[in-house]
Amino acid sequence: SQELEQSPQSLIVQEGKNLTINCTSSKTLYGLYWYKQKYGEGLIFLMMLQKGGEEKSHEKITAKLDEKKQQSSLHITASQPSHAGIYLCGAGSRGTASKLTFGTGTRLQVTL
Amino acid sequence: KAGVTQTPRYLIKTRGQQVTLSCSPISGHRSVSWYQQTPGQGLQFLFEYFSETQRNKGNFPGRFSGRQFSNSRSEMNVSTLELGDSALYLCASSSYTDYGYTFGSGTRLTVV
């Protein structure tokens, strides 16, 4: 079965700093999904990456997919308190999102 | 456009009882997936329904079951509750199985 490892497990950054979260898969990635979760709440869809080398950006968040390395990265530029939460990567089986395997999550805190 | 609605938000049950959780997907979405989230195991896929048919199932015992109605609303049932079933249960819907899923806020089940 596929496993996703996220690093770091937790992160504390000062407001305005940049940060990167990595997600490494034990198997070939056919598609990679990034979600954000506030504690005890549902997941908020951030981005979906489907092709090797693909890069997507939304506001100050950029995600990339490196298929060869079986890895994806999420980069936040000029972090804000609103970025705080748990970031989760999820991989679908054979490119679908209907049965996602999730990483263990990265807890991000942004200090003032 | 209303999001994914899960009811109830919180539930406390006693060991041995059974419970039914409800999920109303976004209007027009025909695919509904269920996940269990615990501190120890993280997010784990339970099952996925598309047009009233179960298309995928995770590695959970038979005590966990689900169904989907003709209006795409879905329910999941857990019988003979165990303490380890205490978790946040998340429902997600999508218009197609290869698109990103929108998650609900979840139902937090506590088994005492």
Side-chain angles (χ1 to χ4, degrees):
Chain A
S1 61
Q2 185 170 32
E3 292 184 359
L4 295 175
E5 185 174 334
Q6 288 185 235
S7 63
Q9 288 187 340
S10 65
L11 201 50
I12 302 174
V13 299
Q14 195 174 23
E15 184 178 6
K17 298 294 185 183
N18 302 336
L19 63 108
T20 299
I21 298 169
N22 292 305
C23 174
T24 303
S25 173
S26 61
K27 293 188 176 182
T28 302
L29 282 169
Y30 294 101
L32 196 288
Y33 303 81
W34 283 99
Y35 287 89
K36 178 186 172 185
Q37 183 179 32
K38 291 285 190 182
Y39 179 74
E41 298 183 7
L43 277 62
I44 300 168
F45 174 73
L46 295 175
M47 268 170 275
M48 174 174 65
L49 304 166
Q50 292 184 301
K51 300 175 184 177
E54 188 172 14
E55 180 176 320
K56 287 187 177 179
S57 293
H58 178 67
E59 295 181 345
K60 296 185 178 180
I61 301 176
T62 300
K64 300 178 185 178
L65 178 61
D66 187 332
E67 254 182 5
K68 289 182 181 178
K69 291 184 179 179
Q70 296 178 181
Q71 188 177 69
S72 178
S73 62
L74 186 83
H75 183 80
I76 298 177
T77 304
S79 58
Q80 301 169 348
S82 61
H83 288 130
I86 300 171
Y87 289 81
L88 293 148
C89 62
S93 55
R94 282 180 287 181
T96 73
S98 62
K99 184 180 178 181
L100 289 176
T101 296
F102 281 94
T104 49
T106 295
R107 185 180 295 270
L108 171 64
Q109 293 181 53
V110 180
T111 61
L112 299 174
Chain B
K1 191 176 183 181
V4 178
T5 303
Q6 290 189 247
T7 56
R9 283 282 278 136
Y10 302 93
L11 205 50
I12 300 176
K13 289 286 188 179
T14 305
R15 267 183 306 175
Q17 286 186 313
Q18 74 165 13
V19 67
T20 299
L21 311 182
S22 179
C23 172
S24 293
I26 290 174
S27 178
H29 284 191
R30 296 164 62 189
S31 177
V32 173
S33 292
W34 288 88
Y35 290 83
Q36 180 197 65
Q37 186 177 34
T38 61
Q41 299 298 317
L43 263 167
Q44 292 186 289
F45 173 79
L46 280 158
F47 25 66
E48 180 234 343
Y49 288 87
F50 185 83
S51 293
E52 301 179 67
T53 301
Q54 186 180 90
R55 290 170 61 115
N56 280 299
K57 190 176 189 303
N59 297 322
F60 279 82
R63 299 185 297 108
F64 291 81
S65 63
R67 59 178 175 170
Q68 186 180 33
F69 302 95
S70 58
N71 61 359
S72 294
R73 190 176 71 84
S74 177
E75 288 181 347
M76 68 163 281
N77 184 276
V78 188
S79 62
T80 320
L81 285 165
E82 300 177 359
L83 295 178
D85 296 333
S86 295
L88 180 66
Y89 289 89
L90 293 164
C91 165
S93 75
S94 176
S95 52
Y96 297 97
T97 57
D98 57 350
Y99 282 16
Y101 275 68
T102 301
F103 280 77
S105 298
T107 293
R108 183 164 295 282
L109 172 65
T110 302
V111 182
V112 297

